[in-house]
C-alpha cells in the first residue's frame, strides 16, 4: 500500500471520528436542552457563557439525581397533602404571611417525602431541576417572596403571587395533577387564579 493511500485512510478515519464526536456532542446538548429547558440557559449564564462547564454541571445534576431514591407518594399521603394545601389556601385571606410560610414548609416536606434532600435551598433547586425544570422558576419566585415575607417586606399582592408559584411546584411534586386540577377547578381559590 502506498504512503498516499495510508495517509488518505488515516485522514478519513480522523474525519469520521471528528464527525461522530460532533454528532455525539450535538445529541448530548439537545438532550440537556430538552431536559432542563430554561435551566440550561440559566446554567450557561451562571458559568459566564462557558458551555462545556455549564453542561458538565447539568450532567453532574443528572448523575446525582440518579442516586436519589425518588418515589411516588401513596394515595393516602397525597390526600393528606392535598388537604393541608387546601387549608393553607383557605387561611390566606386572614393570614397571608403565615399561609405563604406554610406553603413553603409544605413544599419542602413534600420534597423530603418524595425522596429529595431538603438541606439548603440551592441544592434543592439543583436536585429539582432534573425532573421539574418547568416549574423551577415558580419555586425561585416564591422563595424570593418568602424571604422578604420573613422580614415583613412582602406586599399582599406578592404573597398572593408566591402562593400561586408554590402551588405550581406543589401540584407537580404531588404527582396527581389531574385530580388536583379537577379539585381546584371546582373549589376555586380564595386568593386569586393562577
Amino acid at each position: 500500500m502506498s504512503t498516499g493511500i495510508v495517509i488518505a485512510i488515516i485522514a478519513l478515519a480522523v474525519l469520521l471520528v471528528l464527525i461522530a464526536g460532533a454528532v455525539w456532542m450535538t445529541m448530548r446538548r439537545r438532550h440537556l436542552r430538552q431536559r432542563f429547558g430554561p435551566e440550561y440557559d440559566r446554567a450557561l449564564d451562571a458559568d459566564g457563557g462557558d458551555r462545556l462547564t455549564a453542561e458538565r454541571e447539568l450532567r453532574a445534576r443528572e448523575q446525582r439525581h440518579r442516586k436519589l431514591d425518588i418515589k411516588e407518594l401513596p394515595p393516602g399521603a397525597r390526600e393528606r397533602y392535598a388537604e393541608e394545601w387546601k387549608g393553607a389556601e383557605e387561611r390566606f385571606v386572614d393570614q397571608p404571611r403565615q399561609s405563604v410560610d406554610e406553603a413553603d414548609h409544605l413544599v419542602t416536606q413534600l420534597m423530603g417525602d418524595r425522596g429529595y434532600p431538603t438541606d439548603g435551598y440551592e441544592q434543592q433547586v439543583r436536585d429539582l431541576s432534573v425532573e421539574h425544570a418547568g416549574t423551577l422558576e415558580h419555586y425561585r419566585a416564591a422563595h424570593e417572596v418568602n424571604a422578604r415575607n420573613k422580614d415583613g417586606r412582602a406586599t399582599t399582592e406578592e404573597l398572593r403571587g408566591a402562593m400561586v408559584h408554590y402551588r405550581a411546584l406543589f401540584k407537580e411534586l404531588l404527582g396527581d395533577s389531574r385530580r388536583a386540577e379537577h379539585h381546584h377547578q371546582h373549589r376555586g381559590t380564595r386568593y386569586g387564579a393562577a
Side-chain angles (χ1 to χ4, degrees):
M1 217 186 292
S2 74
T3 307
I5 293 175
V6 170
I7 292 173
I9 291 172
I10 291 171
L12 181 61
V14 168
L15 180 62
L16 289 175
V17 167
L18 290 173
I19 290 171
V23 167
W24 182 72
M25 288 291 285
T26 301
M27 288 173 50
R28 275 182 30 165
R29 183 165 292 143
R30 183 177 302 132
H31 161 77
L32 290 172
R33 281 187 173 278
Q34 287 174 345
R35 177 159 217 174
F36 288 96
E39 191 65 16
Y40 180 93
D41 294 327
R42 181 181 272 279
L44 191 59
D45 289 343
D47 286 316
D50 183 350
R51 189 174 303 279
L52 292 177
T53 302
E55 290 177 354
R56 192 175 307 120
E57 159 65 19
L58 295 174
R59 284 192 305 277
R61 291 182 193 186
E62 285 181 318
Q63 289 172 352
R64 175 181 160 87
H65 190 271
R66 275 187 226 118
K67 295 176 183 175
L68 299 176
D69 184 23
I70 306 300
K71 54 196 166 287
E72 291 295 319
L73 291 175
R78 267 195 212 121
E79 291 172 12
R80 179 180 52 83
Y81 270 112
E83 286 304 311
E84 287 183 42
W85 184 263
K86 178 182 172 185
E89 286 182 327
E90 289 173 350
R91 285 186 288 280
F92 182 85
V93 171
D94 296 323
Q95 301 172 326
R97 294 187 191 294
Q98 293 84 350
S99 293
V100 168
D101 195 48
E102 183 179 354
D104 179 71
H105 175 73
L106 280 170
V107 166
T108 302
Q109 185 178 358
L110 178 55
M111 286 173 53
D113 285 353
R114 290 281 318 272
Y116 287 96
T118 57
D119 296 334
Y121 168 73
E122 290 302 323
Q123 187 60 53
Q124 288 175 359
V125 168
R126 285 191 292 276
D127 290 338
L128 287 170
S129 71
V130 177
E131 293 291 331
H132 303 283
T135 55
L136 214 47
E137 286 305 312
H138 287 287
Y139 186 47
R140 282 189 174 102
H143 180 78
E144 182 181 313
V145 170
N146 196 38
R148 287 197 313 277
N149 180 36
K150 290 178 192 287
D151 295 339
R153 296 181 293 127
T155 67
T156 303
E157 193 57 36
E158 289 173 323
L159 295 171
R160 181 175 290 114
M163 287 297 287
V164 171
H165 289 305
Y166 276 129
R167 183 192 326 133
L169 179 59
F170 181 84
K171 284 173 54 176
E172 193 169 298
L173 284 171
L174 197 60
D176 195 6
S177 59
R178 187 186 55 185
R179 185 185 151 288
E181 184 62 32
H182 175 76
H183 181 72
H184 174 69
Q185 287 174 350
H186 291 312
R187 184 179 56 78
T189 62
R190 297 177 63 184
Y191 55 82

